[in-house]
Amino acid sequence: MATKPPPEVKKYPEDSIESKAYKSVEDIPTREPNDRNRLGFHVWRWLTVKNESTLDEQIKVSGVRLLISEEEAKQKIISKLKELNVTLPQS
């Protein structure tokens, strides 16, 4: 039986695009915290991967179980990203 503690999680710098993507979803009500993690990952993908997808598509693909409408979540994410001075992709 292993008694070692789990490895530490290395955090991204506060001003990185990864941190900003995850911060943009921290106030989105979801069924479980891991839903927010998945949504944050998909927001990051939308911001960094130039694959012509939209934020609407990324919200759907994430499989997040929202407690608000997808449109309301989208508006909250966009608002928070603008507040964090993130340049949004054209969609």
Side-chain angles (χ1 to χ4, degrees), residues 17-29:
I17 194 69
E18 292 88 352
S19 289
K20 291 178 180 182
Y22 283 91
K23 281 182 188 175
S24 73
V25 301
E26 57 187 22
D27 294 331
I28 305 289

Side-chain angles (χ1 to χ4, degrees), residues 34-45:
N34 194 47
D35 287 329
R36 263 189 305 279
N37 291 337
R38 282 197 319 271
L39 183 57
F41 171 75
H42 282 82
V43 169
W44 170 80
R45 282 187 61 200

Side-chain angles (χ1 to χ4, degrees), residues 7-77:
E8 281 189 38
V9 175
K10 187 175 178 182
K11 301 273 185 183
Y12 287 103
E14 289 295 314
D15 62 340
S16 71
I17 194 69
E18 292 88 352
S19 289
K20 291 178 180 182
Y22 283 91
K23 281 182 188 175
S24 73
V25 301
E26 57 187 22
D27 294 331
I28 305 289
T30 58
R31 212 184 268 174
E32 295 180 19
N34 194 47
D35 287 329
R36 263 189 305 279
N37 291 337
R38 282 197 319 271
L39 183 57
F41 171 75
H42 282 82
V43 169
W44 170 80
R45 282 187 61 200
W46 174 65
L47 293 170
T48 59
V49 179
K50 308 298 184 220
N51 65 354
E52 303 295 326
S53 73
T54 65
L55 181 55
D56 291 319
E57 290 170 356
Q58 291 299 323
I59 291 171
K60 286 189 187 312
V61 169
S62 72
V64 65
R65 295 167 292 177
L66 296 168
L67 300 178
I68 58 175
S69 71
E70 287 183 5
E71 186 60 34
E72 190 176 350
K74 176 185 169 184
Q75 294 308 316
K76 285 183 174 217
I77 292 167

